[in-house]
Amino acid sequence: MDSLTYSALIFEPAQEHSYSRLEEALPLFEKDPNCAQIVICCQEDWLLKLSLHPHQKTMLVQMSKHPYVSMVNGLKAVCEDSVLVLDLNRMCKLEDKQRVLKKLQE
């Protein structure tokens, strides 16, 4: 079975601990050769912070006040057919990512 190329779509939940979770999650996707792109939907303060220290494969999208608009805008920025959507309310673990991608590939 061929490896699955995908985009990661990450949403900021606007909570205090979420930026540190983003910093922990980014390497999981940056180091994955099957991850073609990382789209981060975030508020303006994160846009500024992330723009100062760009990450590999990353595209930033301004978060809207309406969650569905943010989802649509994030999906418009995605370049792959397969998308792994993550909000930072929960930690992203390598095992979880691998399990989801395996199911997506099946």
Side-chain angles (χ1 to χ4, degrees):
M1 190 181 280
D2 294 334
S3 59
L4 175 72
T5 303
Y6 69 96
S7 291
L9 178 55
I10 302 174
F11 286 91
E12 171 199 357
Q15 295 177 356
E16 202 172 300
H17 60 274
S18 55
Y19 195 81
S20 62
R21 286 189 176 170
L22 175 67
E23 290 177 320
E24 292 177 30
L26 277 176
L28 290 175
F29 300 107
E30 287 176 334
K31 294 177 182 175
D32 185 349
N34 296 326
C35 180
Q37 173 192 40
I38 305 164
V39 176
I40 304 172
C41 289
C42 55
Q43 301 294 332
E44 190 173 333
D45 56 333
W46 278 30
L47 284 173
L48 295 172
K49 192 184 290 191
L50 289 166
S51 295
L52 291 173
H53 306 285
H55 288 268
Q56 180 182 1
K57 303 192 244 185
T58 302
M59 175 182 273
L60 305 175
V61 175
Q62 172 109 24
M63 189 79 118
S64 172
K65 292 179 182 178
H66 305 285
Y68 296 114
V69 173
S70 295
M71 176 66 84
V72 169
N73 288 341
L75 288 171
K76 285 180 182 178
V78 166
C79 67
E80 294 296 320
D81 290 337
S82 298
V83 182
L84 190 142
V85 179
L86 170 74
D87 89 20
L88 296 170
N89 281 320
R90 291 182 4 143
M91 276 304 303
C92 180
K93 297 179 183 165
L94 181 59
E95 310 83 53
D96 296 336
K97 183 186 96 164
Q98 290 171 332
R99 189 178 71 250
V100 169
L101 289 173
K102 182 178 178 186
K103 290 291 184 187
L104 188 59
Q105 191 170 15
E106 291 173 357

